Amino acid sequence: MPKFMDIHRGMEGLTADQLKAAHQADLAIEAQEGVHFEHAWADPDSGDVFCLSEAPSAGAVQRVHERAGHKADEIHPVPLSV
Amino acid sequence: MPKFMDIHRGMEGLTADQLKAAHQADLAIEAQEGVHFEHAWADPDSGDVFCLSEAPSAGAVQRVHERAGHKADEIHPVPLSV
């Protein structure tokens, strides 16, 4: 299954609990689109959040994020990894 | 040890072998700065490469990348992760 790295911008001041809740919201509905969000990393100072997922398409990633209330600003397929 | 996500832009057309070689170049010298590059993901279409590392500082991350010949365009501390 393809992997994607998506970026959310503008989440300055995000707390650990908020990140956990957002990730839980994704996990709760991800199966609807055949997506699995593996990890998320956040920089509360710049407000950038990075999410790594396996998904059938970038659209599927965005649909889950959108339904969970936090659209991604960028979604990159990452076919290469080490 | 703090974690960082750094982004390299402009690597359109990057191949699997090139990503592997770049990562190996980092691994070969990372100990000089007390850095460990855990993973890298690449999107050859957009040319964006994402590197996750543990490091004492963003400066240490950039010094290793610079010596290895591929400066990062953005380096984000990611104190929060799930």
Side-chain angles (χ1 to χ4, degrees), chain B:
Chain B
M1 176 103 67
K3 287 206 183 222
F4 295 84
M5 185 73 81
D6 67 73
I7 305 176
H8 303 258
R9 309 243 183 234
M11 294 195 164
E12 289 81 355
L14 187 75
T15 67
D17 286 345
Q18 288 169 328
L19 177 62
K20 197 174 170 195
H23 188 58
Q24 292 300 330
D26 287 331
L27 296 182
I29 62 170
E30 64 181 13
Q32 296 170 3
E33 298 283 351
V35 175
H36 176 50
F37 286 96
E38 298 180 1
H39 291 289
W41 300 270
D43 177 2
D45 290 337
S46 70
D48 292 346
V49 180
F50 304 87
C51 301
L52 180 68
S53 62
E54 277 195 333
S57 67
V61 173
Q62 188 70 298
R63 283 193 294 274
V64 174
H65 271 335
E66 208 158 4
R67 278 181 217 140
H70 42 254
K71 262 184 93 170
D73 295 286
E74 293 176 46
I75 300 181
H76 296 273
V78 281
L80 308 182
S81 63
V82 285

Side-chain angles (χ1 to χ4, degrees), chain A residues 29 40 43 54 60-61 76 79:
Chain A
I29 61 170
D43 177 3
E54 276 195 334
V61 173
H76 297 273

Side-chain angles (χ1 to χ4, degrees), chain A residues 27-39:
Chain A
L27 296 182
I29 61 170
E30 64 182 13
Q32 297 171 4
E33 298 284 349
V35 175
H36 175 52
F37 286 95
E38 299 180 1
H39 291 290

